[in-house]
Amino acid sequence: MNFCSQCGHPVELKQISGDHQARMQCTNDACGMVHYQNPKILVSCFATWEDKVLVMKRGTEPFVGKWAIPSGFMENDETLQEAAARELFEETHAKVDIDKMELYTIGSLIQMNQIYVVFRAPLLSSEFQTTEEASEIKLLSKEEFPWLDFAFQDVSVNVQRFYEEFENDDFGVYVGSLRNGENIITEVSHRQAPSGEK
Ligand SMILES: [Zn+2]
């Protein structure tokens, strides 16, 4: 950032007393606004139908033409679940029940300055529709998934693991981090499959 979003004057990197790192601060003494830069929150949802997961081909950059799980940035004034369901609907017109969304993974994308929060939820119906953001949408099993054309190769193992757990109806909850291409995922909780089912 070069200019203050509050008053339009130039900003400069300054060490502010008591802070552990330098910040962009407005050079206009009458304003002096400190512009903190913090991670954005990326939400996504594994939306499932029978033994398949809803996957979309990206219609926009980056990675246009590659496949991805629907995702997007959280807005102010919404919950994580509302954000994930909204992004799913905006991109694919597919619907999930917010009350049935379960937390799957939360993690840090260090270089991208993003936190990702992934839910899983059954679709309310198998209806969906292409949009500007999704040029093609499919319900795919693990065998059908376009692994080589997946947009985010660094975390494709997360998708593989989801499919395996989905097959067994036995899910973990994970904390992850992606730094310099190194994707680390740690299970922090586990939901045992109910006995007698699957
Ligand atoms: Zn200013």
Side-chain angles (χ1 to χ4, degrees):
M1 100 182 288
N2 296 314
F3 297 97
C4 177
S5 56
Q6 197 74 12
C7 73
H9 279 71
V11 294
E12 64 180 9
L13 198 59
K14 271 177 101 172
Q15 183 61 49
I16 290 151
S17 123
D19 205 337
H20 64 280
Q21 69 177 61
R23 306 285 176 186
M24 297 306 267
Q25 186 173 22
C26 179
T27 54
N28 173 9
D29 286 341
C31 173
M33 180 143 180
V34 179
H35 296 274
Y36 294 94
Q37 292 180 309
N38 300 102
K40 283 177 137 189
I41 298 168
L42 184 68
V43 289
S44 63
C45 182
F46 285 108
T48 59
W49 184 256
E50 294 168 351
D51 64 338
K52 295 171 191 286
V53 175
L54 187 137
V55 185
M56 56 171 257
K57 188 185 259 189
R58 294 178 59 86
T60 52
E61 292 292 354
F63 303 110
V64 65
K66 297 281 187 183
W67 291 84
I69 304 300
S71 65
F73 291 106
M74 191 176 182
E75 302 285 359
N76 295 339
D77 301 315
E78 64 183 354
T79 66
L80 287 163
Q81 290 91 329
E82 285 165 356
R86 176 185 54 74
E87 284 292 344
L88 173 72
F89 183 77
E90 280 179 8
E91 294 187 330
T92 68
H93 288 194
K95 287 184 187 168
V96 292
D97 183 346
I98 285 182
D99 295 333
K100 298 221 167 105
M101 295 176 89
E102 301 270 358
L103 179 63
Y104 190 56
T105 304
I106 181 165
S108 313
L109 303 169
I110 310 285
Q111 279 91 5
M112 289 192 279
N113 301 316
Q114 293 169 8
I115 301 297
Y116 67 93
V117 181
V118 185
F119 291 93
R120 55 186 173 84
L123 284 162
L124 288 172
S125 80
S126 59
E127 285 168 35
F128 48 77
Q129 198 178 303
T130 57
T131 63
E132 215 164 284
E133 291 173 273
S135 60
E136 206 176 331
I137 302 162
K138 288 180 175 175
L139 289 168
L140 298 177
S141 66
K142 188 182 174 193
E143 288 66 39
E144 296 163 332
F145 193 89
W147 297 107
L148 297 176
D149 283 321
F150 181 55
F152 307 103
Q153 290 291 324
D154 285 341
V155 294
S156 67
V157 65
N158 302 14
V159 181
Q160 285 174 31
R161 192 201 50 222
F162 176 81
Y163 267 113
E164 281 155 27
E165 298 193 347
F166 178 48
E167 261 170 31
N168 298 317
D169 188 28
D170 190 11
F171 295 97
V173 177
Y174 299 86
V175 170
S177 67
L178 178 67
R179 194 200 301 258
N180 299 323
E182 191 188 6
N183 178 42
I184 298 171
I185 291 287
T186 307
E187 185 169 336
V188 291
S189 176
H190 192 82
R191 199 210 73 177
Q192 207 77 42
S195 60
E197 286 182 31
K198 289 204 186 178

